[in-house]
C-alpha cells in the first residue's frame, strides 16, 4: 500500500541521517530555494571569464617582452657595457652625407642561463671563426648576467648562430657608424669607437658639445636628430685630394696636404692630409704617418712667412713698396750668414723682396721694425698661441724661449718658428680680406656671422698692397707656374729646409704654396704642401716649391674654381692698374 496520500503534495524526504557539516556546506554552496541549473550556468561562465583573463594576461606579457626585448637586454648590460647609441648624420655644405648610422646586430651571452657552457663555446667558435675561444670561455664563465661576445656581427653570422638555438645566447641591434665617402674627409670627420662614441675629428667634437650628455640622459636614442652641416664641399674635397695624390706619387713625396679656405668667412671648404685613412677601418687611424699634418703638425713655413714680415712693415708706415734694401751681398749676423737662393748683388725694393723671395731683404725689413714689434705683430696675427677650432686635434706653435735679434732675422723668412699650417692660413686670410682676423671653422658660417667675430689686425690699404704683391708674384715672380688664365690668382712660395739631427738638411725640404683667387677681390685661399719631394728630369734636378708645389696648386685651381662658382675673366689689366689703382695709396 502506497505511503503517499492521493491529492496531497509529497513531503521532502527527511535527511536526518546526513551529517550537519555536509548540510552546512551544501547550504553555503547552493543556498535555499535557488534554481540550481541557472547557478551552474553562471559558474561555468565565471570560469570561462577567468581562463580568458589569464590567457590575455599571458599574451600581453609576451607582446611586451617581444617589443621591449632590446630595451631589457640593454638594461641588463648597462651596468657593465655601453650600448652603441644613435648619432646625428654629418653632411657637407650641400647636404651630401659624410657620416651616418646603420643598425647592426651584436652577439651577447647570459652566463647564468647557459646550460652547457662547453657545448655553447664549441658551437659558437666553430660558427664564427674570428671568435677567440679563450676570451669567450672567460666571459661565459663569469657570474654576470650579461656579457658581450662580439660586437657588430654580420647578418649571415646572426642567422647561423640563431639556428644553433643555444639558450642564453642572443642578439642586440646596435647603431653602427658608417662613412660612405671613405678616405675623402677622414681627418676632418674623424671616427668613433665600438660604442659609437666620437674619438677624433668632428665626431669627437659632437660628443664634447652635448651629444654625450644627451645619450646619458636618454634623449638621443633615435635617429630623429638634426644633421650637422659642415663647411666642407665634398666636390672640392675630392678634386683637392685627387690632385694631391697625383703630386705625391709624381714627386715621390713623403706626404702631401692642402687646405682651401674662404677668406671672408674663415670656413674650411676642403682639407686633405696624405697619407690618410678609412674611418670605416679604424686600425689605419693609429698609424703615426697618417696624422692630420694641417692641425696636429707644426712646421717652419719658409718663405710664405715673408708675407707677414712685409705686411708688418707696410702697416707701420715706416716703409713703402718702393723702399730700398741692400742685397749686394750676404747678411752676416754673428757667426751666422744669411744668403739668398739667387744672389742679386744690388739694392732691391720692397716689391722685389717679395717677388725674388729675398731672405736678406726680409731680414733687413724685420730688423728695421725691432724685436718687440715683430713679436707683437705675429702675436696679433695668431701665430704664437695654439689655434683652437672644432677639431680637438691641435698643436701649439714652437716659439723661441728667448727671442732676440737673431730669432727675428730668421723668423722673418720662415725659419725658427713652427706653426700649424691652418694657423698660417688664418693669418694669410687676414692679410687678403681687408685686414680682419677671423677664426677658422669647419661649420657653415655666413659673412655676417664672420664679421661679428672678426678682429682688425692691419689697415685696409695694407691689405690692398699685400694682394698686389701676391698678384705681382704670379705675373713675374716665383708663382708664375700656377697662373691659371682667367682666374687672376696671386701666390707666395715657400721652401723650408728640414731640421735633421739639429742641422738644416738642404736636400730634405718641406715645400708650400699659398694662393688666392681672384687677387682683386679674394674669395678663397689655397695652401698646398709637399713633404720631401724628389727631383725629376723635368724639374732640372731642383726640389724647390716653384717646381712642384706651385704647378700642383695651378692644377687644383683649374679644377676647383668652376666648382666654387668663380667665373673666368680674361684680358684683365696688370696688378698695378687693377689693384693698386683702386687702393687709397700706391705707396
Amino acid at each position: 500500500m502506497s505511503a503517499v496520500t492521493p491529492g496531497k503534495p509529497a513531503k521532502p524526504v527527511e535527511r536526518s541521517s546526513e551529517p550537519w557539516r555536509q548540510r552546512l556546506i551544501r547550504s553555503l554552496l547552493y543556498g535555499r530555494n535557488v534554481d540550481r541549473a541557472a547557478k551552474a550556468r553562471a559558474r561555468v561562465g565565471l570560469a570561462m571569464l577567468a581562463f580568458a583573463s589569464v590567457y590575455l594576461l599571458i599574451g600581453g606579457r609576451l607582446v611586451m617582452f617581444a617589443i621591449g626585448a632590446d630595451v631589457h637586454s640593454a638594461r641588463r648590460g648597462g651596468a657593465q657595457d655601453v650600448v652603441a647609441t644613435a648619432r646625428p648624420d654629418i653632411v657637407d655644405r650641400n647636404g651630401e652625407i659624410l657620416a651616418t648610422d646603420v643598425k647592426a646586430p651584436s652577439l651577447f651571452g647570459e652566463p647564468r642561463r647557459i646550460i652547457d657552457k662547453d657545448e655553447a663555446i664549441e658551437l659558437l667558435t666553430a660558427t664564427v671563426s674570428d671568435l677567440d675561444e679563450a676570451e669567450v670561455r672567460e666571459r661565459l664563465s663569469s657570474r654576470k648576467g650579461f656579457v658581450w661576445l662580439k660586437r657588430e656581427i654580420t647578418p649571415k653570422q646572426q642567422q647561423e648562430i640563431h639556428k644553433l638555438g643555444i639558450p642564453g645566447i642572443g642578439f642586440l641591434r646596435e647603431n653602427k657608424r658608417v662613412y660612405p665617402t671613405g678616405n675623402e674627409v677622414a681627418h676632418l670627420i674623424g671616427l668613433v669607437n665600438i660604442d659609437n662614441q666620437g674619438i677624433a675629428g668632428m665626431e669627437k667634437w659632437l660628443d664634447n658639445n652635448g651629444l654625450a650628455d644627451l645619450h646619458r640622459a636618454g634623449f638621443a636614442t633615435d635617429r630623429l636628430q638634426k644633421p650637422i652641416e659642415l663647411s666642407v664641399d665634398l666636390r672640392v674635397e675630392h678634386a683637392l685630394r685627387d690632385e694631391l695624390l697625383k703630386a705625391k706619387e709624381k714627386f715621390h713625396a713623403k706626404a702631401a696636404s692642402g687646405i682651401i679656405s674662404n677668406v671672408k668667412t674663415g670656413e674650411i671648404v676642403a682639407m686633405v692630409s696624405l697619407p690618410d685613412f678609412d674611418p670605416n677601418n679604424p686600425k689605419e687611424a693609429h698609424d703615426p704617418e697618417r696624422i692630420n699634418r694641417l692641425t696636429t703638425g707644426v712646421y717652419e713655413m719658409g718663405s710664405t712667412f715673408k708675407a707677414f714680415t712685409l705686411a708688418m712693415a707696410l702697416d707701420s708706415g715706416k716703409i713703402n713698396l718702393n723702399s730700398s734694401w741692400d742685397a749686394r751681398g750676404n747678411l752676416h749676423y754673428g757667426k751666422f750668414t744669411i744668403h739668398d737662393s739667387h744672389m742679386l748683388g744690388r739694392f732691391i725694393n720692397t716689391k722685389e723682396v717679395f717677388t725674388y723671395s729675398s731672405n736678406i731683404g726680409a731680414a733687413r725689413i724685420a730688423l728695421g721694425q725691432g724685436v718687440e714689434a715683430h713679436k707683437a705683430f705675429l702675436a696679433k696675427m695668431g701665430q704664437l698661441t695654439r689655434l683652437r677650432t672644432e677639431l680637438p686635434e691641435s698643436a701649439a706653435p714652437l716659439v723661441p724661449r728667448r727671442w732676440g735679434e737673431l730669432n727675428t732675422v730668421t723668423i722673418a723668412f720662415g725659419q725658427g718658428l713652427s706653426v700649424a699650417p691652418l694657423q698660417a692660413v688664418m693669418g694669410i686670410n687676414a692679410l687678403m680680406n681687408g685686414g680682419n682676423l677671423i677664426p677658422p671653422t669647419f661649420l657653415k658660417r655666413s659673412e655676417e656671422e664672420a664679421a661679428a667675430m672678426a678682429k682688425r689686425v692691419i689697415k685696409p690699404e695694407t691689405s690692398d698692397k699685400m694682394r698686389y704683391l701676391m698678384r705681382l708674384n704670379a705675373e713675374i715672380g716665383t708663382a708664375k707656374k700656377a697662373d691659371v688664365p682667367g682666374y687672376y690668382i696671386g701666390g707666395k712660395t715657400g721652401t723650408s729646409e728640414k731640421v735633421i739631427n739639429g742641422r738644416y738638411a738642404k736636400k730634405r725640404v718641406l715645400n708650400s704654396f699659398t694662393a688666392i683667387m681672384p687677387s682683386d677681390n679674394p674669395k678663397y685661399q689655397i695652401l698646398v704642401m709637399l713633404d720631401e719631394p724628389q727631383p725629376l728630369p723635368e724639374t732640372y734636378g731642383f726640389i724647390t716649391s716653384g717646381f712642384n708645389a706651385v704647378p700642383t696648386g695651378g692644377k687644383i685651381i683649374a679644377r676647383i674654381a668652376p666648382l666654387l662658382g668663380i667665373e673666368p675673366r680674361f684680358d684683365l689689366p696688370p696688378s698695378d692698374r687693377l689693384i693698386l689703382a683702386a687702393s687709397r695709396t700706391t705707396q
Side-chain angles (χ1 to χ4, degrees):
M1 189 171 180
S2 174
V4 178
T5 304
K8 292 184 179 181
K11 294 182 179 179
V13 179
E14 294 290 337
R15 298 184 182 273
S16 56
S17 61
E18 184 177 24
W20 66 270
R21 292 185 182 84
Q22 291 184 9
R23 290 199 303 273
L24 177 61
I25 293 171
R26 187 183 301 278
S27 176
L28 291 174
L29 288 174
Y30 300 107
R32 297 177 181 278
N33 302 321
V34 176
D35 187 343
R36 294 183 180 181
K39 196 156 188 176
R41 287 194 299 271
R43 289 195 182 96
V44 171
L46 182 62
M48 291 174 64
L49 180 63
F51 278 110
S53 299
V54 171
Y55 279 112
L56 284 173
L57 179 62
I58 294 172
R61 293 296 291 173
L62 288 174
V63 170
M64 290 177 64
F65 281 126
I67 295 175
D70 284 356
V71 175
H72 293 310
S73 297
R75 286 176 180 171
R76 284 196 300 270
Q80 174 197 353
D81 296 278
V82 178
V83 176
T85 45
R87 304 178 67 83
D89 288 348
I90 300 178
V91 300
D92 82 336
R93 65 186 307 110
N94 300 312
E96 295 291 332
I97 293 179
L98 306 177
T100 190
D101 279 355
V102 296
K103 292 290 185 180
S106 289
L107 177 67
F108 71 86
E110 297 174 289
R112 297 171 189 168
R113 294 185 55 215
I114 296 177
I115 300 171
D116 189 335
K117 293 181 180 177
D118 290 330
E119 181 186 26
I121 294 167
E122 182 180 351
L123 291 173
L124 288 173
T125 53
T127 306
V128 183
S129 58
D130 54 348
L131 272 179
D132 183 81
E133 181 178 350
E135 185 177 349
V136 173
R137 183 176 299 278
E138 181 183 355
R139 294 190 179 190
L140 292 183
S141 299
S142 70
R143 297 181 179 181
K144 297 178 181 179
F146 179 95
V147 293
W148 287 119
L149 298 179
K150 183 171 175 56
R151 309 289 286 274
E152 299 175 6
I153 63 174
T154 66
K156 182 180 179 181
Q157 289 174 328
Q158 181 185 19
Q159 185 179 15
E160 291 175 349
I161 296 172
H162 180 73
K163 289 179 181 178
L164 299 176
I166 305 173
I169 299 297
F171 310 97
L172 181 63
R173 284 170 60 82
E174 294 189 282
N175 292 290
K176 178 184 178 182
R177 199 64 160 173
V178 295
Y179 303 91
T181 58
N183 296 52
E184 293 281 357
V185 287
H187 285 111
L188 196 158
I189 290 293
L191 70 164
V192 299
N193 61 15
I194 193 68
D195 294 315
N196 231 27
Q197 298 169 333
I199 57 174
M202 294 301 294
E203 293 281 28
K204 186 173 182 179
W205 174 84
L206 270 175
D207 285 61
N208 292 343
N209 284 267
L211 183 61
D213 294 333
L214 286 176
H215 283 159
R216 283 191 288 269
F219 294 119
T221 57
D222 56 36
R223 292 291 311 282
L224 302 179
Q225 302 179 66
K226 185 178 178 182
I228 305 300
E229 294 182 305
L230 302 187
S231 58
V232 66
D233 186 322
L234 186 58
R235 304 168 304 163
V236 179
E237 179 85 5
H238 173 76
L240 174 63
R241 183 173 183 272
D242 186 49
E243 291 298 335
L244 287 175
L245 281 170
K246 292 176 182 177
K248 181 176 179 292
E249 181 179 358
K250 178 179 179 178
F251 297 106
H252 309 290
K254 178 181 178 181
S257 53
I259 297 175
I260 299 171
S261 171
N262 186 317
V263 303
K264 296 183 178 180
T265 65
E267 293 172 294
I268 304 304
V269 180
M271 182 179 72
V272 174
S273 178
L274 301 174
D276 51 22
F277 62 93
D278 184 354
N280 296 300
N281 182 15
K283 292 182 180 179
E284 293 183 353
H286 300 301
D287 184 349
E289 291 297 317
R290 300 176 188 269
I291 65 167
N292 183 355
R293 299 166 188 270
L294 299 165
T295 61
T296 60
V298 291
Y299 309 96
E300 294 182 351
M301 296 299 292
S303 294
T304 54
F305 245 59
K306 288 171 184 166
F308 293 117
T309 304
L310 269 66
M312 168 185 65
L314 289 169
D315 200 59
S316 71
K318 295 180 180 180
I319 74 167
N320 59 44
L321 293 173
N322 294 314
S323 296
S324 184
W325 308 96
D326 186 0
R328 291 174 296 175
N330 293 335
L331 173 63
H332 299 281
Y333 197 93
K335 62 179 181 178
F336 298 95
T337 300
I338 310 302
H339 59 84
D340 286 338
S341 299
H342 305 285
M343 185 61 65
L344 297 172
R346 60 179 175 84
F347 279 87
I348 58 177
N349 62 33
T350 305
K351 292 177 286 188
E352 290 175 313
V353 171
F354 199 81
T355 56
Y356 286 112
S357 198
S358 171
N359 294 339
I360 296 170
R364 292 192 184 280
I365 290 173
L367 284 172
Q369 299 299 305
V371 172
E372 294 306 318
H374 193 200
K375 288 175 61 177
F377 184 81
L378 290 177
K380 182 171 64 172
M381 300 302 296
Q383 303 303 300
L384 303 185
T385 54
R386 185 192 297 265
L387 174 64
R388 301 289 186 180
T389 66
E390 293 87 5
L391 293 188
E393 301 83 22
S394 66
L398 300 180
V399 182
R401 291 184 179 179
R402 297 180 180 179
W403 190 317
E405 284 192 346
L406 179 61
N407 301 105
T408 281
V409 166
T410 59
I411 292 171
F413 53 84
Q415 288 185 357
L417 173 64
S418 298
V419 300
L422 181 59
Q423 199 163 6
V425 166
M426 174 183 68
I428 299 293
N429 277 350
L431 301 184
M432 299 297 114
N433 67 15
N436 296 309
L437 188 69
I438 303 171
T441 182
F442 294 93
L443 301 174
K444 290 182 75 172
R445 179 194 287 164
S446 67
E447 288 191 22
E448 292 74 21
E449 291 171 331
M453 64 180 65
K455 177 184 177 183
R456 177 161 295 284
V457 288
I458 61 171
K459 304 168 188 173
E461 50 267 35
T462 303
S463 180
D464 292 338
K465 295 172 186 175
M466 294 307 301
R467 290 189 288 107
Y468 160 72
L469 290 174
M470 293 283 274
R471 175 57 192 168
L472 184 65
N473 200 38
E475 292 174 350
I476 64 171
T478 57
K480 288 187 293 185
K481 292 182 183 293
D483 189 15
V484 182
Y487 294 116
Y488 210 69
I489 74 140
K492 184 70 189 80
T493 56
T495 300
S496 178
E497 296 174 358
K498 298 176 71 172
V499 177
I500 307 296
N501 298 323
R503 301 175 67 90
Y504 284 102
K506 293 184 178 295
K507 294 185 178 181
R508 298 178 67 177
V509 297
L510 176 68
N511 288 350
S512 59
F513 174 56
T514 300
I516 57 168
M517 65 175 183
S519 296
D520 58 322
N521 183 22
K523 294 182 179 179
Y524 298 98
Q525 180 190 166
I526 301 95
L527 173 67
V528 176
M529 298 180 67
L530 296 177
D531 191 354
E532 297 189 20
Q534 301 302 307
L536 301 177
E538 66 183 77
T539 68
Y540 310 102
F542 291 107
I543 57 174
T544 50
S545 177
F547 290 94
N548 40 61
V550 172
T552 300
K555 292 177 181 178
I556 291 170
I557 290 168
R559 287 187 62 173
I560 69 170
L563 299 175
L564 294 171
I566 299 179
E567 297 182 2
R569 298 172 298 159
F570 300 97
D571 301 322
L572 292 175
S575 53
D576 57 343
R577 289 167 51 196
L578 184 59
I579 300 177
L580 281 189
S583 177
R584 298 179 185 180
T585 177
T586 59
Q587 299 298 316

